[in-house]
């Protein structure tokens, strides 16, 4: 300290003081950690809700295996798979037919040379309000089932 001019000695002591460095480092990294934690929680919530919507669509598909034309029963099975969720949107199940080798045809078509393949598509959606994932507004679970 002898080589430091007298007016700068106080600044020199302040510059060499290491107290409070850990608090400063914590204050600088804490916002990054908080945002990362919120994003992980948001992503986990999104995945969990999406899995439940897929389970609801699968429950509707399982019911549709035995009663493909019972739309009310299919929707009831979907609602039963997600108890407590009254804000889901259940689209009416749609039926489509495919003639192998030809493609999609009307289900009343008789021009198919082999047996028609009938499919039932089930879609369940729910709005999503995330903390950070604000671009993601709708989650969807869907299932397509071939009826024999």
């Amino acid at each position: 300290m002898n080589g430091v001019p007298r007016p700068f000695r106080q600044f020199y002591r302040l510059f060499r003081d290491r107290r409070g460095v850990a608090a400063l480092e914590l204050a600088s990294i804490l916002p990054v950690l908080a945002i990362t934690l919120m994003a992980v929680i948001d992503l986990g919530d999104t995945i969990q809700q999406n899995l439940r919507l897929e389970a609801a669509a699968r429950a509707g598909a399982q019911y549709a295996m035995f009663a493909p034309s019972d739309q009310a029963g299919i929707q009831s099975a979907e609602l039963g798979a997600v108890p407590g969720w009254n804000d889901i949107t259940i689209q009416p199940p749609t039926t489509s037919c495919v003639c192998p080798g030809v493609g999609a045809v009307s289900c009343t078509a008789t021009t198919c040379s082999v047996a028609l393949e009938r499919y039932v598509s089930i879609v369940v959606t729910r709005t999503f309000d995330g903390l950070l994932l604000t671009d993601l507004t709708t989650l969807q679970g869907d299932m397509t089932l071939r009826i024999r």
Side-chain angles (χ1 to χ4, degrees):
M1 253 185 45
N2 290 338
V4 177
R6 185 170 245 231
F8 296 109
R9 284 185 185 164
Q10 191 173 13
F11 290 116
Y12 183 72
R13 274 191 233 126
L14 185 63
F15 179 72
R16 290 191 41 113
D17 192 4
R18 297 287 181 208
R19 291 179 293 178
V21 172
L24 183 63
E25 289 173 352
L26 179 66
S28 64
I29 197 69
L30 196 59
V32 174
L33 289 175
I35 290 173
T36 303
L37 179 65
M38 286 178 21
V40 167
I41 291 171
D42 225 9
L43 183 64
D45 192 31
T46 304
I47 292 170
Q48 183 264 346
Q49 288 185 33
N50 203 32
L51 287 172
R52 288 188 69 185
L53 289 173
E54 290 288 337
R58 195 169 29 256
Q62 288 173 345
Y63 187 89
M65 286 174 50
F66 302 106
S69 60
D70 183 10
Q71 289 189 0
I74 293 171
Q75 290 178 344
S76 176
E78 291 169 343
L79 278 174
V82 285
W85 280 13
N86 299 325
D87 58 342
I88 63 173
T89 303
I90 300 174
Q91 297 176 7
T94 59
T95 304
S96 60
C97 294
V98 173
C99 183
V102 176
V105 295
S106 169
C107 289
T108 58
T110 57
T111 59
C112 189
S113 60
V114 293
L116 280 176
E117 296 176 354
R118 292 182 56 212
Y119 294 91
V120 173
S121 296
I122 297 167
V123 178
V124 183
T125 59
R126 184 177 194 214
T127 57
F128 178 74
D129 296 324
L131 298 171
L132 295 176
L133 300 174
T134 55
D135 293 339
L136 184 63
T137 57
T138 304
L139 300 177
Q140 176 175 317
D142 56 359
M143 180 69 61
T144 301
L145 171 73
R146 181 176 173 196
I147 306 287
R148 293 185 183 233

